[in-house]
Amino acid sequence: MSDKMSQKEIDLLKSQLLLISGVEPKKCMVCGKCSGTCPNYDAMEYHPHQFVQMVENGEIQKLMESKSIYACLSCMACLERCPRQVEPAKLIEAVRLAVLRQRDNDYLEPENIPAKLDEDTPQQLLMSGFRKYRK
């Protein structure tokens, strides 16, 4: 994904991300409480509140190229602390899904799971792979 996206592509992708996630980024006050409670904060290039703002500002390509989308544990701690009930983890999951769809691989097949996984692989990551489906 090295080519720069056009504004039309960015707008279309943003609308898809918002539809898939159900998140309304305009509700975010950028207070940072979500990021402050994130258990994987140190492993992320972009933090939960930054994800929300970057999607709102159309900086989606940076997110799609970031390893931060795979550092999110989908633990929903960010939602628990958010005073406005913005759900950054759902938005991060939607960005992950967009990356998978660009690769034309919407979901994880059980036979594609390695016999031995890295012991640090979060179980939530595997489960989210099984939840993928084509819309």
Side-chain angles (χ1 to χ4, degrees):
M1 185 173 182
S2 57
D3 296 334
K4 186 167 170 43
M5 296 170 73
S6 71
Q7 189 59 47
K8 185 177 179 180
E9 290 171 318
I10 291 169
D11 292 342
L12 177 62
L13 188 53
K14 179 180 173 181
S15 67
Q16 289 173 342
L17 293 175
L18 299 181
L19 178 67
I20 291 168
S21 69
V23 172
E24 181 48 64
K26 290 184 190 309
K27 290 175 22 180
C28 180
M29 303 183 310
V30 196
C31 67
K33 287 184 179 184
C34 58
S35 295
T37 195
C38 178
N40 222 15
Y41 179 90
D42 292 334
M44 299 177 87
E45 174 184 9
Y46 301 116
H47 304 109
H49 75 283
Q50 292 173 308
F51 268 83
V52 174
Q53 292 306 304
M54 290 173 79
V55 169
E56 178 61 24
N57 297 331
E59 298 177 73
I60 299 165
Q61 189 167 7
K62 283 183 188 178
L63 293 175
M64 293 178 76
E65 294 171 351
S66 171
K67 293 183 179 183
S68 291
I69 60 175
Y70 303 106
C72 174
L73 301 173
S74 302
C75 67
M76 299 297 181
C78 52
L79 171 62
E80 294 299 318
R81 291 287 308 213
C82 181
R84 307 284 311 268
Q85 299 302 297
V86 179
E87 301 175 274
K90 286 187 176 181
L91 200 52
I92 294 167
E93 180 69 20
V95 173
R96 274 188 214 149
L97 180 58
V99 171
L100 288 173
R101 287 181 174 178
Q102 279 194 347
R103 293 182 192 150
D104 196 31
N105 187 9
D106 284 346
Y107 53 90
L108 180 64
E109 295 283 353
E111 59 270 10
N112 292 335
I113 298 175
K116 184 171 184 177
L117 295 173
D118 181 331
E119 64 186 39
D120 294 328
T121 301
Q123 192 173 29
Q124 294 94 333
L125 178 72
L126 293 173
M127 295 311 296
S128 68
F130 286 121
R131 289 194 313 259
K132 304 295 180 240
Y133 59 95
R134 298 178 194 271
K135 284 191 178 184

